[in-house]
Amino acid sequence: MVFEGVYVVPITLIRNALVVTMDPSQRVIEEGNILIEDGKIASVQPARSGPAPQADKVIDASGLIAMPGLVQTHVHLCQVLFRGLSDDMELLDWLRLRTWPLEAAHDEESVYYSALLGTGEMLKAGVTSIIDMQTVHHAEAGFRAIEESGIRAVTGKVMMDVGDGVPERLVESAARSIEESLELADKWDGAAGGRIRYAFTPRFALSCSDSLLREVGRIARERGAIIHTHCAENRDEVQLVIESTGVRNAVYLHQVGLLGPTTVLAHCIHIDEEEMALLADTGTHVAHCPATNLKLASGIAPVPEMLERGINVGLGSDGAGANNNLDPFIDMRFAALIHKPRLGPTAMPAAKVLEMATMGGARAMGQAHLIGSIEEGKLADIVLLDLNKPHAWPSAGVDPVSRIVYSAKSSDVVMTMVGGKVLYEGGRDGRGLTHIDEEEVLASCTAAIHRVARRAGLTA
């Protein structure tokens, strides 16, 4: 499955690119050279500043855009296998009638190939880092796929110990859920040279007991680990949380000790002023998933209002079982557009959206000092785009950031690099995915979904 020894060179030079740095000044270099040594960015300089540095490998990026790798702040790799099996449903039905039965029917091999399918899709779309939520069982198979793919990830086993409509196989005791999570954290946190970090991932308030959530908060604080969960995605969900706890979602999560600067809450669509104040005061991060939120008719998160309050917001595609794709360019475009009818054309400018998709995600991962921008000393997570195409033309006088957010497509990605390793090379003569055998993955996923769907009592 893994192609060993490809594209690993001590010193690489990306030459003559239009560099969109996303550094604090959001500097754009018209013709820039990026020198990479041992997986890190050694220098970023205008090409005209002097002779090109010597390198073992030179990538001529003339006419291409170099940008930071995109960060997906909320995905479910275990659900990629379910793409197209639960369309045109609202959230709670989508969970109870399709997603949970399918997750309960997963086996080790199906989790593994689902994760490889998802990581391959995202690498081809310029995603270099993800915050992922696995399922209850066979999570380690997903971690192995992440390790082999080369993508950077914060990920964890889903925790569920209660819940109306949850299949019996997905419900385990709080003690067992915590025990296995700790075993996985001890083994995988910091794996692959630090590329994989473990997160504690209780699914959401309705599928976790009060005692489980409190223990997750305690353990995560002790370890300095990220907590990744869902919050206020659906009106019915919010009402059920109020009925069971007496308070709204974010307030309840605060009461049980989950909010804070190492917590990432997916969605936060139906939150009020008190909840936004809590998120801001605690430094909690939010993952905005506009395409999924629209498809499930869940609503539109008040992202401009959150940003005004200083809440860090990243972008995510959520699961391919809901969104049907993991394309960050679609989510960037939706994030830019859906708020404008309500708040005006400047509500979500392109620069803010691209910042959410890069540095916003890096902050949510707790890795803003390592990734999210093209700056000296950071890890070489870099994407090259070819926008010399009709859908992104003409380019003269056009802000490259606007071109990326409003015109670019994932098919425009011609190279994805993580830590100095080229994991995807597109174009006519490109090698494609360098660490994933795409044909094998597609064939194995076809066999796996037939097997899993039959086990779940569905058809595929």
Side-chain angles (χ1 to χ4, degrees), residues 69-338:
L70 297 169
V71 182
Q72 287 268 27
T73 52
H74 181 60
V75 295
H76 294 263
L77 287 177
C78 69
Q79 294 176 13
V80 182
L81 199 64
F82 312 152
R83 194 191 319 260
L85 295 184
S86 51
D87 292 339
D88 305 324
M89 304 176 76
E90 66 88 32
L91 175 68
L92 296 182
D93 284 344
W94 176 85
L95 285 170
R96 292 166 179 162
L97 301 179
R98 291 289 190 275
T99 302
W100 284 342
L102 286 164
E103 282 194 29
H106 255 312
D107 53 52
E108 183 176 352
E109 186 177 90
S110 64
V111 169
Y112 172 77
Y113 281 109
S114 183
L116 278 181
L117 182 64
T119 52
E121 177 184 355
M122 287 187 285
L123 287 168
K124 292 176 74 169
V127 175
T128 56
S129 298
I130 61 172
I131 303 179
D132 170 53
M133 184 177 286
Q134 288 289 327
T135 187
V136 173
H137 301 295
H138 311 299
E140 190 159 21
F143 299 165
R144 284 194 291 108
I146 289 169
E147 181 179 36
E148 293 175 10
S149 74
I151 205 165
R152 196 175 306 284
V154 172
T155 184
K157 159 196 164 68
V158 158
M159 309 173 81
M160 303 171 73
D161 67 333
V162 296
D164 179 38
V166 180
E168 183 178 349
R169 179 167 163 72
L170 288 186
V171 178
E172 57 185 357
S173 70
R176 178 57 189 149
S177 184
I178 290 168
E179 179 185 20
E180 187 177 358
S181 295
L182 289 171
E183 290 171 356
L184 290 167
D186 288 342
K187 181 175 180 179
W188 286 95
D189 189 43
R195 182 165 49 79
I196 300 173
R197 301 305 306 266
Y198 193 84
F200 290 88
T201 57
R203 189 152 212 148
F204 70 152
L206 296 178
S207 62
C208 298
S209 65
D210 186 273
S211 59
L212 173 60
L213 294 176
R214 291 181 184 277
E215 186 65 2
V216 165
R218 184 189 69 78
I219 293 170
R221 282 192 299 274
E222 285 182 357
R223 289 177 168 247
I226 284 179
I227 298 169
H228 180 205
T229 189
H230 299 84
C231 177
E233 182 177 359
N234 173 279
R235 290 186 187 278
D236 290 340
E237 169 211 346
V238 170
Q239 187 56 41
L240 288 170
V241 170
I242 292 172
E243 291 173 5
S244 62
T245 69
V247 293
R248 297 177 66 86
N249 289 48
V251 175
Y252 174 64
L253 294 177
H254 186 53
Q255 288 178 353
V256 296
L258 293 195
L259 298 192
T262 57
T263 295
V264 181
L265 301 182
H267 308 304
C268 293
I269 299 168
H270 303 288
I271 58 173
D272 62 13
E273 292 289 338
E274 179 188 6
E275 291 176 291
M276 280 193 277
L278 275 175
L279 299 184
D281 290 345
T282 57
T284 300
H285 308 272
V286 172
H288 180 37
C289 305
T292 285
N293 296 159
L294 292 173
K295 186 164 180 285
L296 292 173
S298 296
I300 298 174
V303 170
E305 289 86 346
M306 286 192 261
L307 293 171
E308 283 181 6
R309 287 164 175 77
I311 298 168
N312 180 56
V313 181
L315 284 179
S317 290
D318 205 345
N323 190 343
N324 294 68
N325 69 74
L326 303 175
D327 187 334
F329 290 90
I330 291 175
D331 285 294
M332 280 195 287
R333 183 173 173 82
F334 272 125
L337 298 183
I338 61 177

Side-chain angles (χ1 to χ4, degrees), residues 18 30 63-65 386-404 407:
L18 192 165
E30 290 292 333
L64 304 180
I65 292 176
D386 181 0
L387 297 186
N388 300 300
K389 300 174 182 178
H391 65 263
W393 206 259
S395 63
V398 181
D399 178 3
V401 172
S402 290
R403 294 181 76 204
I404 292 169
S407 298

Side-chain angles (χ1 to χ4, degrees), residues 3 25 32 35 87 116 131 255 303 322 344 369 413 447 454:
F3 301 121
S25 65
L35 186 67
D87 292 339
L116 278 181
I131 303 179
Q255 288 178 353
V303 170
H369 61 299
V413 174
R454 284 195 303 270

